[in-house]
Amino acid sequence: MRSSTEEEVVTDIDWDELRSAAVEAMEKAYAPYSRYRVGAAALVSDGRIVTGCNVENASYGVGLCAECGLVGNLHMTGGGELVAFVCVNNDGETIMPCGRCRQLLNEFAIPGMLLETVSGIRTIDEVLPDAFGPRDLEAAR
Ligand code: THU
């Protein structure tokens, strides 16, 4: 479950710092099959930065996107909610998180979480409109 947002949420976003963290994560990627290394970084509501890199597999379909590692790290290091996110490729260029990963991020996003994208800063709602999320399950109970 997500932690409550009662604590003060960090809103001052240093995109350069976040992008650098994503590049550092990308350098740890294991991508021998696609040779497409990805690093992801997100600012958490309590001010920490969590990161992840893609980890591929000889069984291609079970490879993990960088965002999978990121949400795992988020949870393992104390939870919280994602305030801002960026992911980069091998050249350090900002890329779009894939559709599945937008869903992964949405689970832990503050409302209006910001993403640096190929078309500028966007909100999670803009890149994943009408998202299915935890509230849909709660509504059904
Ligand atoms: N990839 C990510 O890690 N995140 C994304 O949002 C897009 C794609 C990875 C998966 C695979 O290891 C490689 O990029 C090529 O698709």
Side-chain angles (χ1 to χ4, degrees):
M1 261 317 199
R2 299 198 288 182
S3 70
S4 92
T5 51
E6 274 163 28
E7 310 114 52
E8 203 178 311
V9 171
V10 173
T11 49
D12 189 18
I13 299 153
D14 184 340
W15 288 106
D16 289 338
E17 185 189 20
L18 214 51
R19 215 175 306 106
S20 296
V23 169
E24 208 175 298
M26 175 274 291
E27 284 161 1
K28 301 200 174 106
Y30 175 72
Y33 306 108
S34 72
R35 304 220 163 269
Y36 191 85
R37 297 190 296 166
V38 178
L43 177 65
V44 183
S45 46
D46 64 4
R48 67 191 208 280
I49 288 178
V50 289
T51 58
C53 62
N54 56 334
V55 179
E56 296 184 348
N57 192 281
S59 177
Y60 293 177
V62 302
L64 303 173
C65 280
E67 294 85 341
C68 298
L70 184 148
V71 297
N73 282 336
L74 171 73
H75 221 61
M76 283 296 294
T77 60
E81 293 180 302
L82 303 175
V83 173
F85 170 89
V86 65
C87 59
V88 300
N89 66 14
N90 221 47
D91 298 321
E93 295 163 344
T94 297
I95 60 167
M96 290 303 290
C98 75
R100 179 177 184 274
C101 288
R102 295 178 203 189
Q103 181 72 26
L104 280 182
L105 295 171
N106 182 65
E107 182 83 14
F108 302 105
I110 60 163
M113 180 189 95
L114 297 175
L115 303 91
E116 188 182 68
T117 79
V118 293
S119 56
I121 306 294
R122 302 265 174 232
T123 65
I124 187 72
D125 315 274
E126 285 177 297
V127 302
L128 191 68
D130 299 327
F132 180 86
R135 259 176 283 140
D136 293 283
L137 297 181
E138 280 157 27
R141 283 206 186 105

